[in-house]
């Protein structure tokens, strides 16, 4: 009964205006290239989901995530997401320190709830049809490297039953053979059987790729398509799949109306089809380039019911399909983890890359143990990984924030050897992963920096800007590779018009440049121009106001001669208030910050001598500001005690504020003797006496015990106002590992810029490093005071 009803509905479909328009569209589609039909299918539909760079036909759409959803003046399909721009912030694992707890998070940071680098979304408008070539390229431009994301299907024969091999085509037929088939369609017409329809399409799909566009314009072919709809409910499962396979080979456009009818029929039959048939259908939809979320949900339901049928090939292909569909059901995550752990040792290198890419694209957060197990396996076969597979592993590490020491060590060897043969996207993802994971390796960065200038003509605008961001974030100096930054800056100049579509990319690139003190004034003038600012602020979901604010204030400080456009005061005040509210609710409440503030209050003699604020709001982090006279006396910086200042942590029982023995290291002692003895006579009423005390029973962390404060008065003398012009301003920074590159003293871009600019405005920066300050949080107050005393007065 249901079949009859569907049949009658199918008969009526040919009269529907939408379907007729779909057939008419097929008639008027003329070929622009002589590519293989499968490649044409990718260029029309699959290009939405694959990282494909086409010089002179740059077309890129996102619906982020980081990678996350927004309203745009121009509607965009969710299928237009790019794999490296998906919403990472909404699916973040819990096993890594997710964010920089001590600075206001960048509004577009990747890869964590509060620290997700380049959380970008994009606008849509006209774009130049030809990629401009910077003038510094005198030699012929080498072609960019193209990769096959489906290479894993060649690893096992078992994939043949669940996937379509785009590299294998039947023996091609000539146009005259196709005409003979089309004549049969005209003769048989309504007397055609379902088997005739499917066989005719299968035979026509063998036509030479160069002729398929002409075939789709033939009226007889349009009639044949109509009969596929009329016989839809009468096809067997295999016939229906063969029809879909024919559509793949014929390069059917993914938005053709006839495909919607076939999707509905496959969804209706899903419960009657086997798991392998469903996976094959899903793969065929992938090859066509059509997003079919409802059908994929039927596939996922079937997987839940038939987990015993999911072997290693089925598992790998399932994760690939989930990645291309940009979704993994939550109830499938645990079964997938279990299967990954069971089969991980049997995975081929290319299968490892496919799994990592699928997990990355689908934003699937697996447990730390499972993720580490996968990277362990990848590390063991790193020499056999293709460049694509290696990059895919880095993509998933970037998403999951998995710090794997052995993998990093392997990358330090592999990437410099491979960089000369890698394409733009692969190099960009390597740089972006290093930036997101805060991993700086000069061998990797130098190898990329040497290769990129040769590939600039192939860079999309987002590739160019992400290179600038990643290298600036890692503090890569311009002198280390003289051609790197100039070539990318020139590429931005050559393609200024594209920033009308993608204003957020320009801010990304300029901020990366600002981190390393590079300020191309013509591009900055464009970014801060009223028209560009208005264009940027149209999309309020992007929160690009913070990025504009950071750029504007950095220009004001580092380009004193700047006479170009600036942001309005209202916008700057709005952003400042937003950043300060966040800082009060988050950063200011961190125990290490509150303890530093409390200890400084005790050390200097009162709350009026310590001010917790954002000295440079555009750097999105707080500071503990202290003022000292030239003689070392504290000067009030808080004329009124702040109402919102966190309460000081109470002192430990059994000891006074100052008159107590303080344990310090020999290093601290030498600093005190060297730096303080000369300043002490003028900075306090009495010289500081240092004499030995006996260590506590049970031993202490440090080797020596000193009475540091017997000569320090209870409250330091306030300076005369006439000395205010000579006041030494100190900015105390509470650094954590999130501020630095891994195992490196190199500050990350925004924080390095902040330190540099604080010095520009006359502050002396005192740094409380994590490895110094955090262990003291568990010690007595006197040890903290001794440490802070050395730090503050050493700055003099």
């Amino acid at each position: 009964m249901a079949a009859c009803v569907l049949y009658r509905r199918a008969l009526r479909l040919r009269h529907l205006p939408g379907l007729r328009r779909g057939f008419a569209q097929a008639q008027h589609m003329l070929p622009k290239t002589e590519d293989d039909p499968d490649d044409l299918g990718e260029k029309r539909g699959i290009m939405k989901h694959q990282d494909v760079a086409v010089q002179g036909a740059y077309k890129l759409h996102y619906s982020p995530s980081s990678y996350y959803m927004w309203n745009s003046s121009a509607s965009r399909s969710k299928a237009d997401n790019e794999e490296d721009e998906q919403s990472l912030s909404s699916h973040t694992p819990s096993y890594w320190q997710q964010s920089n707890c001590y600075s206001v998070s960048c509004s577009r940071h990747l890869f964590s709830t509060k620290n997700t680098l380049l959380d970008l979304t994009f606008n849509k408008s006209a774009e130049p049809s030809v990629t401009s070539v910077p003038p510094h390229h005198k030699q012929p431009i080498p072609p960019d490297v193209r990769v096959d994301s489906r290479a894993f299907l060649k690893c096992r024969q078992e994939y043949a039953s669940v996937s379509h091999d785009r590299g294998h085509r039947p023996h091609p037929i000539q146009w005259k053979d196709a005409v003979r088939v089309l004549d049969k369609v005209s003769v048989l017409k309504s007397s055609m059987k379902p088997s005739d329809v499917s066989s005719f399409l299968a035979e026509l799909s063998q036509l030479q790729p160069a002729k398929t566009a002409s075939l789709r314009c033939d009226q007889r072919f349009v009639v044949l398509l109509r009969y596929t709809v009329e016989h839809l409910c009468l096809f067997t499962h295999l016939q229906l799949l063969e029809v879909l396979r024919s559509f793949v080979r014929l390069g059917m456009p993914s938005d053709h109306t006839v495909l919607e009818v076939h999707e509905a029929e496959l969804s209706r039959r899903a419960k009657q089809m086997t798991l392998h048939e469903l996976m094959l259908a899903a793969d065929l939809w992938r090859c066509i380039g059509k997003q079919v979320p409802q059908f994929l949900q039927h596939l996922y339901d079937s997987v839940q019911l038939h987990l015993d049928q999911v072997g290693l090939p089925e598992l790998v292909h399932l994760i690939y399909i989930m990645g291309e569909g940009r979704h993994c059901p939550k109830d499938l995550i645990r079964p997938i983890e279990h299967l990954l752990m069971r089969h991980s040792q049997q995975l081929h290198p290319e299968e490892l890359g496919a799994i990592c890419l699928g997990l990355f694209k689908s934003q699937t957060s697996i447990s730390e143990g499972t993720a580490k197990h996968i990277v362990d396996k990848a590390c063991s076969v790193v020499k056999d990984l293709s460049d694509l597979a290696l990059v895919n592993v880095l993509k998933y590490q970037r998403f999951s924030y998995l710090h794997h020491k052995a993998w990093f060590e392997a990358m330090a060897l592999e990437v410099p050897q491979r960089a000369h043969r890698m394409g733009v996207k692969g190099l960009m993802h390597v740089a972006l992963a290093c930036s997101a994971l805060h991993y700086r390796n000069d061998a990797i960065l130098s190898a990329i920096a040497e290769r990129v200038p040769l590939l600039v003509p192939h860079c999309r605008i987002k590739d160019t800007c992400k290179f600038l961001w990643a290298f600036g974030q890692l503090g890569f100096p311009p002198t280390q590779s003289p051609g790197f930054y100039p070539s990318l800056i020139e590429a931005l100049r050559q393609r200024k018009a594209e920033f009308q579509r993608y204003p957020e990319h320009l801010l990304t690139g300029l901020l990366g440049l600002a981190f390393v003190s590079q300020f191309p004034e013509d591009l900055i003038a464009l970014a801060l121009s009223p028209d560009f600012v208005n264009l940027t602020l149209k999309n309020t979901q992007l929160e690009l106001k913070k990025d504009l604010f950071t750029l504007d204030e950095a220009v004001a400080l580092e380009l004193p001669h700047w006479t170009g456009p600036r942001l309005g005061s209202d916008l700057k005040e709005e952003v400042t208030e937003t950043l300060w509210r966040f800082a009060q609710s988050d950063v200011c409440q961190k125990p290490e910050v509150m303890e530093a503030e409390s200890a400084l209050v005790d050390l200097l003699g009162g709350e009026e001598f310590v001010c917790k604020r954002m000295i440079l709001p555009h750097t999105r982090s707080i500071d503990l500001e202290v003022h000292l006279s030239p003689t070392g006396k504290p000067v009030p910086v808080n004329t009124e005690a702040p109402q919102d200042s966190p309460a000081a942590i109470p002192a430990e029982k059994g000891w006074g504020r100052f008159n107590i023995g303080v344990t310090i290291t020999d290093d601290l002692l030498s600093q005190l003797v060297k730096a303080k003895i000369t300043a002490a006579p003028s900075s306090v009423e009495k010289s500081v006496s240092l004499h030995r005390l006996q260590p506590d029973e049970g031993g202490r962390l440090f080797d020596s015990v000193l009475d540091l404060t017997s000569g320090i008065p209870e409250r330091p003398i306030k300076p005369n106002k006439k000395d205010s012009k000579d006041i030494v301003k100190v900015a105390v920074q509470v650094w954590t590992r999130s501020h630095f590159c891994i195992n490196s003293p190199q500050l990350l871009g925004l924080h390095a810029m902040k330190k540099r600019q604080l010095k520009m405005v006359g502050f002396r920066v005192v740094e409380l490093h994590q490895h110094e300050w955090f262990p003291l949080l568990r010690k007595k107050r006197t040890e903290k005071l001794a440490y802070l005393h050395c730090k503050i007065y050493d700055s003099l």
Side-chain angles (χ1 to χ4, degrees), residues 152-163 313 348 351:
F152 71 96
L153 295 174
K154 301 174 183 177
C155 294
R156 303 175 193 271
Q157 293 182 351
E158 292 87 341
Y159 287 115
S161 62
V162 294
S163 66
H348 291 303
E351 292 174 324

Side-chain angles (χ1 to χ4, degrees), residues 96-103 109 115 438 473 735-742 746-749 751 770:
W96 193 74
Q97 184 174 352
Q98 296 295 327
S99 64
N100 178 356
C101 301
Y102 311 96
S103 66
H109 269 196
N115 187 18
H438 302 174
Q473 174 79 345
W735 294 134
T736 73
R737 70 172 187 171
S738 296
H739 293 88
F740 294 88
C741 298
I742 295 176
Q746 173 65 48
L747 280 166
L748 293 172
H751 313 299
Q770 181 192 22

Side-chain angles (χ1 to χ4, degrees), residues 48-112:
K48 300 174 183 177
H49 315 292
Q50 285 183 336
D51 247 61
V52 180
V54 181
Q55 182 184 0
Y58 172 69
K59 195 174 184 66
L60 176 66
H61 307 290
Y62 292 79
S63 175
S65 64
S66 197
Y67 331 178
Y68 0 79
M69 301 299 143
W70 83 117
N71 296 323
S72 174
S73 57
S75 61
R76 247 170 258 141
S77 169
K78 184 178 180 180
D80 288 343
N81 278 353
E82 180 101 24
E83 64 207 37
D84 56 315
E85 291 300 337
Q86 297 166 2
S87 181
L88 299 178
S89 62
S90 57
H91 308 274
T92 306
S94 60
Y95 51 81
W96 193 74
Q97 184 174 352
Q98 296 295 327
S99 64
N100 178 356
C101 301
Y102 311 96
S103 66
V104 181
S105 301
C106 177
S107 60
R108 296 185 292 136
H109 269 196
L110 279 178
F111 330 107
S112 79

Side-chain angles (χ1 to χ4, degrees), residues 471-482:
F471 276 70
Q473 174 79 345
L474 295 174
F476 186 80
T479 55
Q480 196 158 335
S481 182

Side-chain angles (χ1 to χ4, degrees), residues 6 126 137 155 288 337 364 386 442-443 447 522 545 603 702 783:
L6 184 61
H137 290 287
C155 294
I288 291 174
E337 281 195 53
T364 303
S386 68
D442 284 356
D522 55 332
K545 294 178 182 179
L603 178 67
F702 304 118
E783 298 181 30

Side-chain angles (χ1 to χ4, degrees), residues 2-4 6-7 228-235 265 268-269:
C4 294
L6 184 61
Y7 176 74
T228 65
V229 175
E230 293 185 356
H231 292 86
L232 200 56
C233 61
L234 304 177
F235 287 132
E265 175 64 14
R268 186 186 69 82
R269 296 189 188 195

Side-chain angles (χ1 to χ4, degrees), residues 559-574:
L559 296 181
H561 61 279
W562 178 257
T563 58
R566 295 286 308 278
L567 293 184
S569 58
D570 292 343
L571 178 59
K572 291 192 283 190
E573 289 175 5
E574 175 191 346

Side-chain angles (χ1 to χ4, degrees), residues 465-520:
C465 294
K466 284 187 177 181
F467 275 127
L468 293 173
W469 169 271
F471 276 70
Q473 174 79 345
L474 295 174
F476 186 80
T479 55
Q480 196 158 335
S481 182
F484 177 74
Y485 288 111
S487 65
L488 293 178
I489 292 173
E490 184 60 30
L492 297 185
R493 292 190 174 110
Q494 294 290 328
R495 303 173 68 172
K496 279 185 180 180
E498 295 181 35
F499 293 124
Q500 297 301 314
R501 290 183 65 187
Y502 308 108
E504 63 284 351
H505 286 333
L506 179 58
L507 295 180
T508 297
L510 291 179
L511 286 179
L513 287 168
F515 294 161
V516 290
S517 298
Q518 298 291 297
F519 295 92

